[in-house]
Amino acid sequence: MSTREIEIAGNSIIIQELDNVCDSVTGRPLTGAWLWDSALILAQFMSTHFDIQNKSVLELGAGAGLPGLTAARLGATRVVLTDVKPLLPGLINNVEANGLGDRVEVRELVWGSDDLSQLIELGEFDMVIMSDVFYDPEEMVGLGKTLKRVCGTGRHTVVWAVSEVRTRTGDCLHELIMSQGFRVIELTCQLGGGCPEAFAVYELIPPMHEENFHVANT
């Protein structure tokens, strides 16, 4: 295990990366236990573009949890970090390491699951955040299904994502647009030193929210 201390908008956030978390079926390492650049960029972007004070925030595919922990530091009243079961102990460690157990929860959530109790228990959110989730087009059906259920009908939940732009990123976004009915807006990423060209910021608008979409002030 390695420990990193990240500075976001004057807030120090401790991230413990686990190096021994593996998929129970394949035995391969679960790379979500590590801190990736997309999470760093999303956390920085949130600190300069979003008003998170008193908001509720859900992080999907949270991995090490940096963006969600950043939301808590920036004043969110409730944050829920979700991922697959093997990654939950690492998320719990990071919540405890930052003393945020009073406002940050850790829950298992499998994209596309027909177990609606998982989503019902989560409740409603003002914002959904994701980093580096556009890596496998076959996962997009489940992700789109989960996003639609979380955002619901008539709610004003906004959905943001940062991704490293890889060969299959476009395929993932195409799947969300063509098969799931999402509208995807790519934003100009303006950070202190600029956003690396290999990364992009997206707003995802579920089909039922088309008339009320919101774009960050970039």
Side-chain angles (χ1 to χ4, degrees), residues 13-191:
I13 300 174
I14 297 171
I15 296 294
Q16 298 175 345
E17 298 177 289
L18 303 180
D19 53 13
N20 59 349
V21 182
C22 297
D23 186 285
S24 60
V25 177
T26 66
R28 296 176 181 173
L30 289 175
T31 57
W34 309 333
L35 180 61
W36 293 87
D37 288 341
S38 291
L40 289 164
I41 293 171
L42 176 56
Q44 292 283 3
F45 189 81
M46 290 164 55
S47 72
T48 56
H49 290 72
F50 299 159
D51 177 12
I52 301 180
Q53 195 74 29
N54 299 320
K55 298 290 177 59
S56 56
V57 179
L58 172 67
E59 183 172 7
L60 298 180
L66 177 63
L69 295 170
T70 298
R73 286 279 190 232
L74 294 175
T77 53
R78 182 186 181 223
V79 177
V80 180
L81 309 178
T82 66
D83 216 312
V84 293
K85 191 172 183 177
L87 295 178
L88 301 189
L91 284 169
I92 292 171
N93 287 344
N94 287 334
V95 172
E96 294 176 348
N98 289 280
L100 292 170
D102 61 328
R103 74 189 80 171
V104 181
E105 308 166 38
V106 174
R107 299 286 190 90
E108 179 183 8
L109 182 61
V110 178
W111 299 346
S113 171
D114 291 324
D115 181 5
L116 295 181
S117 63
Q118 287 186 329
L119 294 174
I120 292 172
E121 290 175 3
L122 291 177
E124 298 184 8
F125 295 89
D126 298 305
M127 182 180 297
V128 177
I129 54 176
M130 308 178 291
S131 61
D132 244 348
V133 299
F134 304 136
Y135 54 86
D136 184 352
E138 293 184 1
E139 295 284 345
M140 294 304 100
V141 172
L143 177 59
K145 184 177 179 180
T146 295
L147 283 172
K148 289 176 184 178
R149 287 176 172 172
V150 169
C151 295
T153 302
R155 300 178 193 168
H156 297 279
T157 307
V158 294
V159 182
W160 297 98
V162 169
S163 180
E164 183 175 356
V165 181
R166 305 181 179 90
T167 303
R168 306 189 77 183
T169 301
D171 295 333
C172 291
L173 295 173
H174 183 269
E175 178 69 26
L176 285 171
I177 294 169
M178 300 305 294
S179 299
Q180 300 295 309
F182 283 79
R183 181 176 180 188
V184 178
I185 299 175
E186 183 175 348
L187 304 179
T188 302
C189 179
Q190 297 176 346
L191 299 175

